[in-house]
Amino acid sequence: MAQVINVLEHCRLPPSTSSPAAIAEFTLPLTFYDVIWINFHPIQRLLFYKLPYPKSHFTGTIIPKLKQSLSIALKHFLPIAGNLIIPLDSGFPQLRYAKGDTLSVTFAESFEDFQDLVGNHPRNCSRFYSLIPQLPPESVESGGARVSAVFAVQVTLFPNYGITIGFANRHVIGDANTVTRFIRAWASINKLEGETELFDNNDNKSFLPFYGREVIEDPYKLGTLVFNEMKKPQPWRLKSDNSEVPTKNFNLRATFVMSQDEIQMLKKSAKENMPDLVHPSSFVLTCAYIWTSWLKSQEALGEEIVDENETEYFLFAADFRARLSPLLPDNYFGNCILPCIAKSTRGELHGPKGLWIAAEKIGMSIGKRLNDNEGILKGVWFNELYEINWKRLFSVSGSTKHDTNDADFGWGKPEKYECISIDSDGAMSINKSGKYEGGLEIGLSLPKKQMDIFADILASGLKNL
């Protein structure tokens, strides 16, 4: 059962109306990079900060500062305070901020064991759910359009131990790059106690979001085609219209750290076993290692028999900001990621060279997607999603490029990051380690029996490299 918390305050926070002048309405059309995420379940993130302050300091000092700095940040990121507008009959969806729109923010306290929650060891998934905000319910406008909030925030105090900041957002608002930039901007404004130094300094202009949609080419009207398809029932198991935070989950979540030395071991072994491997990056090799270890843990459970010729799928997203022509700036606001799909047979992945075959397939899928600009514009990647057997899929949430380790609100860097939404789709999370230079942190949500088996397989596999 999810831990009950004490809600101290719930408010609807508007963007600051200070200079520049308040905007009455701001709309942002979706691109085909965005539309694909319309029906995706909310992304839920948690940042843990060690902060040994009592409740009085939290309510008297921290909450007022956070509200003020968040309001200022929203002024620059208006869509986050706005809504997703989806016409029920005709028309194309858009993000819209209208004067009077606000962000749902909750402040609470919890008496859970903070020290235990920030650990890497297996912990019950349900213990984290009370720390994640609920997205406000959808509504329908009189004109005939669904109106859905895209973002919500919750700050929870663990008296005399620490604070968590929980985020829930619809993926349609933006990818990890976009959301991370917003979180870092808010954190910096709170730390600096204002925005002048942050946004007036030319070196920090990248914090300001770039909204230009005209730079996204769509010669084949792919956005409209994808939107029409998204209205239909999808076979994808990762589709979810449920914005509620779950209350029960009997899985365990744990974090596995791949140190820089262990990643270098993988790279050295890859060079010896498969010298022609394409894209032998830390991401590729770590994902291949986790994927094959996860498959072995499934087989060790003995709960189902899978034919060796059965195809296994590995799904992840690649950022295309630096791959388009013209190039998109790093601070482009929205989604600019596309799915890459690696696949191989069960037998190959379980064989003696399974790890290297997995790495090869993942690397090949990256190369295929990055070098097929015409296929991207024609939606080849979208059609490939229909070819997946979703019962045989393992996927990735997060990125090794865009993390929140630098989100310092004035209390130092986060003690821990958790991606809670992997409970919804069975994905692995991946992000840079905040404690180990050059390391990666892998988050998994698994039944206890499989978690124990996986941990043993992962540890023994590294020893046998």
Side-chain angles (χ1 to χ4, degrees):
M1 183 68 67
Q3 179 73 20
V4 177
I5 61 168
N6 178 27
V7 175
L8 302 174
E9 179 185 353
H10 178 75
C11 62
R12 301 301 300 254
L13 197 67
S16 169
T17 56
S18 61
S19 179
I23 297 176
E25 183 170 300
F26 178 80
T27 60
L28 202 58
L30 302 187
T31 73
F32 63 82
Y33 292 104
D34 302 312
V35 174
I36 185 67
W37 300 105
I38 279 181
N39 292 329
F40 199 77
H41 63 72
I43 305 300
Q44 299 156 342
R45 299 172 172 89
L46 266 180
L47 290 176
F48 290 79
Y49 293 86
K50 282 190 173 181
L51 202 63
Y53 290 138
K55 180 178 176 180
S56 58
H57 183 78
F58 181 65
T59 57
T61 302
I62 292 179
I63 289 180
K65 281 189 61 177
L66 286 175
K67 290 167 71 173
Q68 181 181 27
S69 58
L70 179 53
S71 181
I72 293 172
L74 289 174
K75 179 180 69 175
H76 298 285
F77 292 82
L78 286 176
I80 287 178
N83 295 282
L84 169 66
I85 310 298
I86 303 179
L88 295 178
D89 296 320
S90 61
F92 196 71
Q94 63 181 359
L95 298 173
R96 184 191 70 193
Y97 167 79
K99 188 175 182 179
D101 285 344
T102 54
L103 177 69
S104 174
V105 184
T106 302
F107 296 96
E109 64 175 335
S110 171
F111 298 96
E112 257 277 19
D113 187 337
F114 181 87
Q115 293 293 89
D116 190 60
L117 289 180
V118 298
N120 291 337
H121 60 283
R123 293 138 298 153
N124 189 285
C125 291
S126 296
R127 295 174 63 192
F128 295 85
Y129 295 153
S130 64
L131 308 176
I132 292 294
Q134 300 272 1
L135 284 170
E138 288 186 345
S139 61
V140 178
E141 286 186 330
S142 57
R146 285 168 50 196
V147 180
S148 304
V150 293
F151 217 94
V153 173
Q154 179 175 320
V155 184
T156 306
L157 172 72
F158 296 73
N160 301 310
Y161 285 97
I163 283 178
T164 59
I165 303 184
F167 305 90
N169 70 275
R170 298 188 186 279
H171 207 311
V172 71
I173 189 73
D175 50 31
N177 184 314
T178 290
V179 175
T180 299
R181 285 178 183 276
F182 167 70
I183 294 172
R184 290 181 60 201
W186 175 25
S188 297
I189 293 169
N190 194 75
K191 180 179 181 179
L192 297 171
E193 299 186 354
E195 61 183 317
T196 303
E197 183 179 341
L198 180 66
F199 293 111
D200 289 350
N201 186 326
N202 289 332
D203 293 336
N204 288 315
K205 281 295 184 183
S206 62
F207 271 104
L208 289 170
F210 174 77
Y211 291 115
R213 291 301 201 248
E214 69 281 356
V215 297
I216 301 291
E217 293 184 343
D218 190 5
Y220 302 105
K221 306 300 180 183
L222 183 59
T224 300
L225 295 173
V226 172
F227 177 53
N228 290 334
E229 285 297 310
M230 297 304 291
K231 295 177 184 177
K232 304 174 184 178
Q234 303 293 336
W236 310 336
R237 70 180 178 90
L238 44 77
K239 176 182 180 293
S240 173
D241 295 320
N242 179 16
S243 64
E244 297 295 311
V245 176
T247 57
K248 288 185 180 180
N249 190 318
F250 297 105
N251 279 2
L252 301 179
R253 66 166 41 248
T255 302
F256 299 89
V257 179
M258 294 289 292
S259 69
Q260 187 176 45
D261 288 344
E262 289 169 335
I263 293 172
Q264 291 304 315
M265 284 171 54
L266 281 174
K267 289 184 177 182
K268 180 181 178 181
S269 188
K271 188 174 182 180
E272 295 170 351
N273 286 274
M274 195 167 282
D276 297 328
L277 181 65
V278 179
H279 297 290
S281 64
S282 299
F283 174 84
V284 166
L285 292 172
T286 299
C287 286
Y289 187 53
I290 300 298
W291 183 23
T292 51
S293 298
W294 179 79
L295 287 171
K296 290 175 183 177
S297 72
Q298 273 197 325
E299 182 175 286
L301 286 174
E303 295 178 355
E304 65 173 331
I305 299 175
V306 181
D307 189 280
E308 288 198 346
N309 294 319
E310 185 78 47
T311 301
E312 300 285 352
Y313 299 85
F314 187 79
L315 176 67
F316 60 100
D319 192 320
F320 278 76
R321 282 171 174 77
R323 301 286 179 174
L324 301 181
S325 180
L327 299 181
L328 279 183
D330 288 343
N331 56 331
Y332 171 80
F333 185 99
N335 290 282
C336 193
I337 57 176
L338 288 177
C340 295
I341 304 167
K343 56 185 179 179
S344 185
T345 65
R346 182 84 165 192
E348 285 181 325
L349 295 173
H350 277 273
K353 289 190 175 292
L355 169 59
W356 313 121
I357 291 174
E360 179 183 44
K361 299 295 185 180
I362 293 173
M364 288 172 59
S365 68
I366 295 173
K368 174 185 175 182
R369 187 67 72 231
L370 294 181
N371 296 310
D372 185 20
N373 187 60
E374 188 68 9
I376 290 172
L377 297 177
K378 288 184 175 181
V380 171
W381 54 273
F382 184 72
N383 295 328
E384 288 176 353
L385 294 174
Y386 286 89
E387 301 171 4
I388 294 176
N389 177 353
W390 295 87
K391 294 181 179 180
R392 304 254 47 93
L393 173 74
F394 191 49
S395 59
V396 179
S397 177
S399 169
T400 57
K401 295 181 179 179
H402 316 297
D403 67 357
T404 50
N405 290 325
D406 291 330
D408 182 357
F409 286 81
W411 321 314
K413 293 185 177 182
E415 181 71 14
K416 187 73 185 296
Y417 166 84
E418 292 280 358
C419 180
I420 305 302
S421 46
I422 61 172
D423 295 352
S424 300
D425 53 30
M428 60 176 271
S429 66
I430 187 168
N431 60 283
K432 292 180 182 178
S433 174
K435 293 184 177 180
Y436 304 97
E437 182 69 29
L440 297 176
E441 293 183 359
I442 312 300
L444 286 174
S445 173
L446 298 171
K448 182 182 186 308
K449 187 176 180 181
Q450 186 177 0
M451 183 71 79
D452 292 341
I453 294 171
F454 175 86
D456 289 341
I457 291 172
L458 197 72
S460 61
L462 288 171
K463 292 178 181 177
N464 294 329
L465 280 178

